[in-house]
């Protein structure tokens, strides 16, 4: 009887991942197997690179040499809707960095590491995608993985190198990298989350294993002896073979740990193992004297800059140094690794879609700069008047832009209550339009063009002079100002009534999330927690 990988007991959202049904796809010749190697190791190397560059003490000439190693690209190559988070009372803003692991085989080194020579000229896939959110006060960091098989809306993107324009599409998120580069992946993330992303960094296979070796080993843990190998009816396997308990892995064995999927039971459990590895790596680097070993540090910096491609605004070692210095200050107990809450895609059992409520809760925390951990100091009553005004307005920035009189503000109202699971609420745009007209917005009209699917209610405006008008509309309905954004897709103030507001004429009161209020489905692991230990799926025990 053919062996199939089973999903994790008690874990949400795993049934729709390629990992849960990956065995069948592997046997049918999917690129999944050949492209699985090193995805999170590539991300680990990227993270390591930031830490290394943030502590490098080499001289000017060596910095110039490292600068020559770096490749750069356009920050955003797609149609994005996100806006920067407003500064806090101290004038600080959060920092968001998108880390992408590319499976590109555009070189002999990458083919040797990743295999699959037949796919050498295929568009690269962004099979590992993680967002690092560094809080405005630089005291906490939240990390979110979006599974590679998450079906999302990918916006229209233009490849900055070839000039080719790719039309908007609905597909799995790892395809975005091949539709305009990392800048398209960044735009896709911004539209998915509503979070403005400052920078991206990508890394491919080359140079990764040597960087893992340079760390000197990272401690991992398994509950039983594990051997991830081909079995009858189940091809593939990373080759990982470890005895139960805690032990260090490095080099090829580290690569095997990060590749392993079948022995854990699912793709999402592989993400958990990868998060455990990254947390352990961070703890290891903080404990080591690597940063006082000049020769070792230079070798790591050489490998890092030679393997990285970064968005152009951080395309120098000095800028990466500054970035690394900010990341270096975060204590391990203020680092939280998570996976986007997800459920099986109703259109394809091998794909997933965001678990609407839980995922939006996490996105809101990122947009509002709320820590994923609850280990920080309590702020007490230190809010500035602008913060208090923002709370009155439902969160986000205070409404400070001037607006026209209500009767002069033209507003178009659209019905966005349709979801993958539910039909649009009939007449929703008309009902909210009547509410606006009754409140004095006599130029409000309902859009007759039909419904669309939008998870979050938003008020959009096309140009700066209409910002105050859009804020005024939002305030009158109780919509938080964090849901007001500038967009090139609208010609005037536009209200889209999302699926979060399917009934009633007053926007549902949203409880502001508190530090640590991440949903259980995020499978969070704190950076200081060294207790997690992977359970091995029975057929892969020895």
């Amino acid at each position: 009887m053919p062996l199939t990988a089973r999903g994790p007991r008690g874990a949400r959202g795993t049934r729709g991942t390629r990992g849960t049904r990956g065995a069948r796809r592997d046997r049918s010749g999917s690129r999944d197997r050949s492209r699985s190697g090193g995805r999170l190791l590539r991300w680990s190397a990227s993270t390591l690179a930031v830490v290394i560059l943030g502590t490098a003490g080499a001289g000017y000439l060596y910095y110039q040499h490292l600068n020559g190693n770096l490749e750069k690209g356009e920050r955003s190559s797609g149609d994005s809707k996100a806006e920067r988070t407003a500064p806090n009372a101290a004038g600080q803003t959060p920092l968001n960095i998108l880390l992408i692991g590319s499976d590109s085989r555009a070189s002999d080194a990458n083919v040797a590491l990743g295999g699959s020579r037949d796919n050498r000229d295929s568009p690269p896939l962004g099979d590992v995608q993680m967002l690092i959110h560094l809080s405005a006060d630089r005291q906490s960091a939240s990390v979110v993985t979006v599974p590679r098989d998450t079906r999302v809306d990918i916006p229209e993107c233009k490849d900055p190198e070839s000039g080719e324009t790719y039309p908007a599409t609905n597909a799995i998120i790892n395809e975005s990298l091949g539709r305009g580069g990392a800048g398209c992946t960044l735009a896709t993330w911004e539209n998915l989350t509503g979070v403005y992303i400052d920078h991206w960094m990508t890394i491919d296979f080359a140079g990764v294993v040597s960087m893992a070796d340079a760390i000197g080993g990272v401690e991992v843990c398994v509950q039983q002896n594990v051997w991830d190998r081909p079995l009858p009816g189940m091809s593939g396997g990373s080759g990982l073979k470890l005895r139960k308990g805690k032990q260090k892995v490095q080099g090829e064995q580290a690569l095997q740990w990060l590749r392993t999927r079948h022995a854990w039971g699912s793709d999402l459990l592989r993400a958990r193992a990868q998060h455990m590895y990254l947390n352990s790596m961070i703890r290891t680097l903080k404990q080591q004297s690597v940063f006082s070993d000049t020769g070792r540090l230079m070798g790591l910096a050489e490998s890092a800059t030679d393997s990285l491609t970064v968005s152009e605004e951080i395309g120098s070692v000095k800028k990466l140094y500054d970035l690394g210095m900010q990341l270096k200050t975060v204590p391990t107990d203020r680092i939280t690794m998570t996976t986007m809450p997800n459920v099986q895609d109703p259109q394809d059992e091998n794909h997933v879609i965001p678990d609407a409520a839980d995922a939006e809760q996490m996105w809101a925390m990122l947009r509002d700069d709320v820590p994923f951990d609850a280990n920080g100091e309590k702020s007490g009553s230190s809010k500035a008047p602008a913060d208090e005004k923002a709370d009155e307005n439902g969160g986000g920035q205070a409404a400070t832009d001037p607006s026209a009189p209500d009767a002069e503000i033209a507003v178009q109202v659209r019905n966005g209550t349709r979801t993958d699971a539910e039909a649009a609420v009939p007449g929703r745009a008309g009902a909210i339009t009547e509410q606006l007209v009754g409140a004095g917005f006599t130029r409000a009209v309902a859009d007759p063009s039909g419904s669309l699917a939008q998870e979050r209610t938003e008020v959009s405006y096309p140009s700066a002079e209409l910002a105050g008008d859009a804020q005024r509309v939002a305030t009158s309905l109780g919509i938080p100002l964090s849901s007001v954004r500038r967009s090139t897709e609208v010609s005037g103030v536009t209200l889209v009534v999302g699926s979060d507001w399917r009934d009633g004429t007053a926007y549902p009161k949203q409880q502001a999330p508190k530090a640590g209020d991440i949903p259980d489905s995020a499978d969070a692991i704190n950076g200081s927690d060294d207790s997690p230990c992977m359970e091995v799926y029975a057929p892969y025990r020895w």
Side-chain angles (χ1 to χ4, degrees):
M1 181 176 183
L3 175 68
T4 57
R6 60 93 170 94
R9 294 189 294 274
R12 291 185 58 184
T14 59
R15 62 187 182 278
T17 67
R18 190 179 295 171
T20 327
R21 294 174 172 80
R24 293 194 290 272
R25 299 185 75 173
D26 286 347
R27 293 197 300 273
S28 66
S30 167
R31 286 196 294 171
D32 172 52
R33 181 174 66 255
S34 63
R35 292 193 166 193
S36 62
R39 290 187 180 102
L40 227 293
L41 188 56
R42 297 194 297 276
W43 187 89
S44 303
S46 183
T47 306
L48 178 61
V50 175
V51 176
I52 291 167
L53 293 170
T55 57
Y60 174 78
L61 292 178
Y62 189 62
Y63 272 125
Q64 290 297 95
H65 166 71
L66 294 178
N67 278 335
N69 286 347
L70 279 171
E71 292 188 29
K72 300 176 282 292
E74 192 171 81
R75 188 194 74 86
S76 178
S77 57
D79 188 8
S80 173
K81 303 175 182 178
E83 290 189 339
R84 293 180 185 272
T85 299
N88 62 14
Q92 303 164 312
T93 55
L95 182 67
N96 296 297
I97 308 164
L98 181 62
L99 304 179
I100 306 167
S102 165
D103 72 347
S104 169
R105 287 162 176 78
S107 69
D108 291 339
N110 284 326
V111 169
L113 290 167
S116 188
R117 295 176 184 275
D118 292 342
N119 293 319
R120 179 166 185 151
D121 297 323
S122 299
L125 298 175
D127 275 341
V128 172
Q129 299 181 23
M130 293 186 178
L131 182 67
I132 292 182
H133 172 87
L134 189 60
S135 64
D137 62 8
R138 303 302 189 258
Q139 293 301 304
S140 69
S142 306
V143 181
V144 183
T145 293
V146 167
R148 58 182 175 167
D149 288 332
T150 303
R151 182 167 60 83
V152 297
D153 289 326
I154 300 175
E156 179 181 292
C157 294
K158 184 176 182 180
D159 190 308
E161 294 185 6
S162 69
E164 181 176 359
T165 297
Y166 296 86
T169 187
N170 184 262
I172 57 176
I173 198 167
N174 70 347
E175 294 182 13
S176 60
L177 188 63
R179 300 177 63 86
C184 186
T185 302
L186 180 143
T188 301
W189 267 78
E190 289 192 333
N191 292 340
L192 172 67
T193 65
V195 176
Y196 181 89
I197 300 174
D198 299 272
H199 317 298
W200 56 257
M201 300 174 67
T202 72
I203 192 163
D204 56 21
F205 293 114
V208 168
V209 172
S210 62
M211 292 181 66
D213 277 328
I215 300 172
V218 172
E219 187 176 79
V220 297
C221 181
V222 288
Q223 295 183 27
Q224 302 87 14
N225 294 346
V226 60
W227 188 5
D228 191 46
R229 65 202 186 279
L231 294 176
M234 175 70 74
S235 58
S238 70
L240 179 70
K241 190 173 185 179
L242 297 174
R243 292 189 179 277
K244 69 177 181 179
K246 292 184 176 181
Q247 54 211 285
K248 285 189 174 182
V249 295
Q250 64 185 99
E252 183 178 357
Q253 205 169 44
L255 174 62
Q256 292 170 342
W257 175 273
L258 295 167
R259 288 184 59 195
T260 296
R261 170 166 56 92
H262 294 155
W264 310 141
S266 78
D267 217 24
L268 292 187
L269 285 177
R270 172 165 60 183
R272 180 187 298 173
Q274 293 165 345
H275 291 162
M276 289 166 52
Y277 178 93
L278 290 173
N279 279 334
S280 181
M281 182 188 73
I282 292 168
R283 293 193 299 269
T284 299
L285 287 170
K286 284 181 174 289
Q287 295 164 2
Q288 287 181 348
S289 59
V290 60
F291 303 119
S292 62
D293 185 337
T294 303
R296 187 176 175 196
L297 186 60
M298 289 174 66
L300 286 168
E302 191 80 38
S303 295
T305 55
D306 198 42
S307 301
L308 284 173
T309 303
V310 300
S311 51
E312 56 194 1
E313 72 288 343
I314 54 169
S316 72
V317 172
K318 174 61 170 65
K319 291 178 180 178
L320 288 175
Y321 167 84
D322 293 339
L323 175 61
M325 289 303 291
Q326 296 180 64
L327 292 169
K328 183 184 173 185
T329 63
V330 180
T332 54
D333 70 343
R334 302 298 313 279
I335 299 171
T336 309
M337 300 275 179
T338 65
T339 299
M340 178 196 74
N342 59 88
V343 294
Q344 183 177 342
D345 182 355
Q347 297 183 16
D348 187 331
E349 65 178 11
N350 292 303
H351 297 162
V352 298
I353 57 175
D355 184 347
D358 284 359
E360 174 54 29
Q361 181 176 339
M362 292 179 67
W363 305 149
M365 292 178 74
L366 293 175
R367 290 192 298 265
D368 295 339
D369 196 26
V370 179
F372 280 10
D373 72 281
N375 298 327
E377 296 181 2
K378 302 300 180 183
S379 60
S381 58
S382 61
K383 287 184 178 181
D387 295 317
E388 296 170 357
K389 182 64 176 177
D391 285 346
E392 294 173 9
N393 289 324
Q397 68 185 63
T400 58
D401 294 295
S403 67
D406 293 352
E408 296 179 12
I409 299 176
V411 188
Q412 184 181 68
V413 183
R414 303 194 66 188
N415 184 350
T417 57
R418 176 166 50 85
T419 70
D420 288 329
E422 299 178 286
V425 178
R428 196 75 188 111
I432 301 304
T433 299
E434 289 181 8
Q435 175 70 13
L436 282 169
V437 170
F441 294 87
T442 55
R443 296 185 62 191
V445 295
D447 185 346
S449 62
S451 65
L452 65 154
Q454 183 162 304
E455 186 174 301
R456 190 166 64 109
T457 297
E458 289 184 338
V459 183
S460 304
Y461 60 94
S463 54
E465 62 269 18
L466 293 179
D469 292 358
Q471 292 172 359
R472 174 64 192 137
V473 170
T475 301
S476 71
L477 294 170
I479 299 170
L481 292 180
S482 59
S483 295
V484 178
R485 63 178 181 82
R486 186 171 176 173
S487 172
T488 58
E489 295 182 353
V490 298
S491 57
V493 175
T494 302
L495 165 63
V496 177
V497 183
S499 59
D500 60 345
W501 191 13
R502 293 177 63 86
D503 53 51
T505 54
Y507 186 71
K509 188 71 174 177
Q510 304 293 310
Q511 183 176 1
K514 299 178 181 178
D517 279 354
I518 51 176
D520 292 340
S521 55
D523 195 22
I525 303 178
N526 185 270
S528 64
D529 187 359
D530 62 0
S531 65
C533 198
M534 293 301 297
E535 180 182 2
V536 180
Y537 180 29
Y540 293 92
R541 301 173 187 174
W542 60 280

